[in-house]
Amino acid sequence: MPGFFHPVEETSGIKPLESFPVEFSRGSLSAVVSTDELAGALFVHTLIREALGEGKVYHAGPKRAFSPTILKALDVEPSNLLSANVYSADELLQALGYVEDNSTVLVSQFPTLREVSEEKLLELRKRVDEASLTLILHYETLTFNELDLPGEFTRLFILPELFDALLVLRTNSYRGHHKLNVTVLKAPPEQIASLGDHSVSIDSIVKVITGR
């Protein structure tokens, strides 16, 4: 029988970039959509870099979303980064059974997994809560309706109400300078001030990722 009540503790979290508007904390479930490849690569690699400073990091998905070359350029020690290929919601749940408590898990291309349902999302939420995981479901896509963010998150993640944070990332450049634009549609109560649109300078990170 589950223990329904337990003391509430304040938990620290991680930010991919210092100026990133949202912190991903232990025991949280987040959905992040990148609408261009640069935004996706930047988010994945900086998140892994920062999360490895806190402990083990796990990556799961139908394809590997990170580059060892880019991680090396970011001075990342990859020995605590573990990766698995999963192709369905059931396989993801099985993989999470091998994840150590209090770890960070990044799932790439989550909406493409087979048999994602309300029931499977509830199981994911349960696993996050039981193991105090930082679970981030990421989706990189070029097809995204910016005019209907609530509808898009419902289409892609079925039950956005279960998530602690919902974010959209996209990049733009002007005269050689790059910005990461972040829309925070939903945030944890303690970070509610971050709701809305944000712009983060990313020139130095872009040079590392692109190699120029």
Side-chain angles (χ1 to χ4, degrees):
M1 182 176 179
F4 288 106
F5 298 101
H6 55 83
V8 176
E9 298 178 354
E10 185 175 352
T11 58
S12 60
I14 54 172
K15 286 186 175 184
L17 300 164
E18 184 176 354
S19 300
F20 200 79
V22 171
E23 185 177 86
F24 301 102
S25 301
R26 296 291 179 224
S28 67
L29 175 63
S30 303
V32 179
V33 175
S34 300
T35 62
D36 63 81
E37 190 172 6
L38 180 57
L42 185 145
F43 176 74
V44 167
H45 291 91
T46 56
L47 177 74
I48 290 174
R49 178 188 63 182
E50 297 304 313
L52 282 171
E54 302 296 323
K56 282 190 176 180
V57 177
Y58 298 81
H59 172 270
K63 69 172 186 176
R64 192 181 71 185
F66 61 87
S67 164
T69 301
I70 294 177
L71 291 175
K72 183 178 180 181
L74 290 171
D75 295 323
V76 171
E77 167 51 53
S79 59
N80 281 331
L81 173 60
L82 304 174
S83 185
N85 291 108
V86 298
Y87 306 95
S88 69
D90 283 333
E91 289 180 351
L92 175 58
L93 286 167
Q94 291 172 12
L96 291 180
Y98 294 92
V99 170
E100 292 184 5
D101 292 359
N102 304 305
S103 297
T104 298
V105 183
L106 173 65
V107 180
S108 294
Q109 300 306 98
F110 174 78
T112 66
L113 297 180
R114 296 192 307 268
E115 300 171 352
V116 174
S117 64
E118 293 184 4
E119 180 183 3
K120 301 302 182 185
L121 279 166
L122 283 167
E123 287 294 321
L124 284 178
R125 178 80 248 190
K126 181 179 179 182
R127 177 61 180 156
V128 166
D129 295 334
E130 289 177 341
S132 192
L133 301 179
T134 306
L135 180 58
I136 301 163
L137 309 183
H138 180 235
Y139 186 46
E140 182 184 305
T141 179
L142 300 179
T143 306
F144 190 77
N145 185 2
E146 295 269 5
L147 300 178
D148 182 19
L149 298 186
E152 287 294 86
F153 275 104
T154 299
R155 177 177 69 88
L156 297 171
F157 298 98
I158 302 176
L159 288 175
E161 298 85 359
L162 288 181
F163 290 78
D164 299 288
L166 303 173
L167 293 86
V168 182
L169 313 179
R170 79 285 282 174
T171 58
N172 63 28
S173 62
Y174 179 70
R175 294 185 176 179
H177 294 285
H178 294 80
K179 297 284 187 180
L180 176 68
N181 297 316
V182 184
T183 297
V184 182
L185 185 65
K186 186 177 181 182
E190 64 273 14
Q191 301 182 57
I192 199 167
S194 67
L195 293 175
D197 296 320
H198 306 263
S199 183
V200 180
S201 178
I202 53 171
D203 284 343
S204 59
I205 296 296
V206 168
K207 290 179 181 179
V208 174
I209 290 177
T210 62
R212 61 175 185 269

